[in-house]
Amino acid sequence: MSSLDADLVIWLNGLSGNVKIFDDLMRLIASDYLMPLTFSLAMFGLWFSGKNPAERVKYQITMLVGISALSLSNVVVWLFNISWDRPRPFVEHGDELNLLFYPPTDPSFPANPVAVGFAAAAAAWSINRKFGWWMFAAASLFGFSRLYAGVFYPTDIIGGAVVGIVVFMFTSYLRRFLEPLI
């Protein structure tokens, strides 16, 4: 599997350097600012949306659960990182990759930015399916851009997506479980 993983990241990253505007776009999307800001603004917008006060409260509770899922996703990724120190693609295949992004120093698996993006997307999807699909598309694009930039393997992206969604499902279950106690 790791050979296929490496082959895919090398092939995708091999497309970089051919079209400068596409490389610049991928660099912008892969940055630490654009997509996290997009996810934050989307969640902020959902906080204030809703057709009536009851729906607004439902949205706000779901956004709080989403924020909890974002935080717990970071913890789960950290637990993976201290358990398994998977080197980044540019560390193992640096001579074959054109790094379009600064070289992160933390382990590669699972992709933390993708876990956060998918946790936010799952929160949005749980209250507004159409908007949630757009958020999932944005989170997927964020993961693809990091793959294209040569900082993650495909399985890191998939692992991050799974972590984000599963942690959101867990926090949603926990909220429903704890709600009668509160």
Side-chain angles (χ1 to χ4, degrees):
M1 183 65 170
S2 64
S3 175
L4 178 61
D5 227 12
D7 291 344
L8 280 170
V9 75
I10 290 167
W11 176 76
L12 261 176
N13 183 260
L15 300 174
S16 68
N18 296 325
V19 181
K20 183 178 176 353
I21 194 162
F22 190 70
D23 290 350
D24 291 342
L25 178 64
M26 286 294 115
R27 231 182 253 111
L28 176 67
I29 294 169
S31 77
D32 291 331
Y33 307 106
L34 178 67
M35 296 310 277
L37 177 64
T38 301
F39 298 138
S40 299
L41 289 175
M43 292 179 83
F44 184 72
L46 284 172
W47 180 271
F48 292 106
S49 62
K51 297 177 180 132
N52 56 51
E55 190 174 76
R56 229 177 340 275
V57 167
K58 177 185 168 197
Y59 281 25
Q60 290 170 352
I61 290 171
T62 305
M63 287 303 98
L64 288 173
V65 171
I67 292 166
S68 300
L70 283 158
S71 302
L72 284 176
S73 291
N74 282 313
V75 171
V76 170
V77 168
W78 175 76
L79 289 171
F80 269 104
N81 288 174
I82 63 172
S83 303
W84 182 31
D85 187 11
R86 183 179 190 188
R88 298 277 183 157
F90 60 84
V91 172
E92 292 189 325
H93 309 284
D95 54 335
E96 302 172 77
L97 293 175
N98 176 25
L99 190 61
L100 296 178
F101 196 68
Y102 71 85
T105 56
D106 58 331
S108 184
F109 183 86
N112 193 27
V114 176
V116 167
F118 272 82
W125 184 82
S126 73
I127 54 177
N128 184 327
R129 300 280 195 254
K130 190 174 185 181
F131 187 69
W133 286 119
W134 283 106
M135 291 279 289
F136 276 123
S140 299
L141 179 61
F142 192 32
F144 175 80
S145 69
R146 295 279 178 118
L147 182 63
Y148 182 86
V151 294
F152 284 119
Y153 289 105
T155 52
D156 301 335
I157 303 298
I158 293 166
V162 168
V163 165
I165 292 169
V166 168
V167 168
F168 176 76
M169 290 168 45
F170 172 75
T171 55
S172 294
Y173 172 76
L174 193 60
R175 179 194 67 84
R176 284 191 297 273
F177 177 75
L178 294 176
E179 196 166 28
L181 300 175
I182 297 171

